[in-house]
Amino acid sequence: MNPTRRILLIDDESQKNSLEKIENGLKDRLVIESKQIEVLHADYLDDEANLKPEKVYEAIETALKSTRYDLILVDYSYGQVGIDGLDVIKQIRIKHPKDDLILYSANQREIIAKVVGENLKDSSTTEIISGINELMNFRIAKIVSRPAMDSEIIGYLRSDMTFSPYGFIVNVLRENRDKVFLSCYPKLSGKTFGEIADLIDGGENGMGNEWLSAILEQLIVYLSEVNE
């Protein structure tokens, strides 16, 4: 059976066709499961049809807490709505600093203008370096053009075929998030699987590796006991 890769896509328009192309382009090697959050969906608008960004961020966080996605795709421009893809990524990175993320745009100059300024040729070296550093802080794996997005994502996922114990463990924990860890191991005992998954992601406390080690140590103890 081919391994599964999960994609979360954030855009203001339906990208069903693109997701189907990505799925078909990888069907010989991967099973693709995907979910899209449509930024301008009615659920995220007020009574006057104005976007409420906090509702979008809440929907994204709910999705990321319920499932660990192997790749997050973020569109840069949502029209004149007050937020853009970098604003979305900034919110994601607060609690999910490790997730693979690709930003795409029909007009990549918009991204440059956001971090450096509209007139790049008139910007000082200091301003350009500052903009580059700001962009690097978002920890974006790739920035791609919208027309090339489908083929870029297919190539990216084809090149990343390594099995990730980290991703597998977090997904299993999230799929059983309400169960309580009945363990004598002090770090884990009494916590729900979902709480442990959040701690492994480690966005808030920076101790993700420590929690992952705790899970693996407990697994080794269990395997030792059942084989005695």
Side-chain angles (χ1 to χ4, degrees):
M1 179 181 290
N2 290 336
T4 298
R5 293 291 183 269
R6 295 174 176 86
I7 296 174
L8 177 66
L9 189 146
I10 301 162
D11 201 312
D12 59 327
E13 297 179 348
S14 173
Q15 298 300 321
K16 181 179 179 182
N17 289 340
S18 283
L19 290 170
E20 287 179 350
K21 287 178 182 177
I22 293 169
E23 181 179 344
N24 289 332
L26 291 163
K27 64 183 180 182
D28 61 323
R29 303 185 72 182
L30 295 171
V31 174
I32 299 297
E33 295 181 358
S34 62
K35 175 182 176 65
Q36 178 176 348
I37 292 176
E38 292 190 32
V39 173
L40 299 182
H41 190 278
D43 288 348
Y44 314 134
L45 306 178
D46 63 19
D47 292 339
E48 297 179 352
N50 297 311
L51 181 70
K52 301 181 72 175
E54 67 276 10
K55 291 291 186 181
V56 176
Y57 301 149
E58 182 180 317
I60 294 170
E61 179 58 20
T62 298
L64 291 173
K65 289 191 74 170
S66 63
T67 302
R68 184 181 184 279
Y69 289 90
D70 299 285
L71 183 60
I72 304 172
L73 305 179
V74 181
D75 181 29
Y76 175 74
S77 179
Y78 313 125
Q80 302 299 315
V81 296
I83 66 169
D84 57 40
L86 290 179
D87 296 320
V88 168
I89 294 171
K90 188 179 294 185
Q91 287 295 316
I92 291 173
R93 287 303 187 216
I94 292 173
K95 293 186 177 181
H96 306 277
K98 300 177 182 178
D99 292 6
D100 280 356
L101 193 151
I102 289 178
L103 178 66
Y104 63 91
S105 174
N107 181 2
Q108 292 174 302
R109 288 182 175 273
E110 290 181 312
I111 302 171
I112 296 172
K114 171 71 179 274
V115 298
V116 177
E118 293 287 347
N119 300 311
L120 179 59
K121 66 180 185 297
D122 297 326
S123 299
S124 68
T125 300
T126 300
E127 289 171 330
I128 293 172
I129 292 175
S130 176
I132 292 172
N133 285 335
E134 180 183 350
L135 197 56
M136 289 176 64
N137 286 335
F138 287 99
R139 297 182 296 282
I140 299 168
K142 295 187 75 171
I143 298 176
V144 303
S145 67
R146 177 61 192 87
M149 183 185 77
D150 303 346
S151 59
E152 288 276 2
I153 301 311
I154 290 171
Y156 184 83
L157 289 173
R158 277 187 175 275
S159 67
D160 182 26
M161 292 290 293
T162 55
F163 174 74
S164 169
Y166 166 82
F168 178 78
I169 290 171
V170 171
N171 271 327
V172 170
L173 290 170
R174 292 204 189 286
E175 288 168 1
N176 300 275
R177 63 177 306 109
D178 294 329
K179 292 184 178 179
V180 176
F181 212 104
L182 302 177
S183 169
C184 60
Y185 197 81
K187 276 188 173 295
L188 305 176
S189 184
K191 287 185 168 53
T192 66
F193 284 20
E195 288 173 335
I196 295 169
D198 294 340
L199 289 164
I200 289 175
D201 271 340
E204 294 178 341
N205 56 26
M207 297 174 66
N209 288 337
E210 184 176 337
W211 283 97
L212 182 57
S213 295
I215 284 285
L216 293 174
E217 286 176 27
Q218 184 63 31
L219 174 60
I220 291 169
V221 169
Y222 170 76
L223 292 174
S224 299
E225 290 179 349
V226 298
N227 281 285
E228 286 182 354

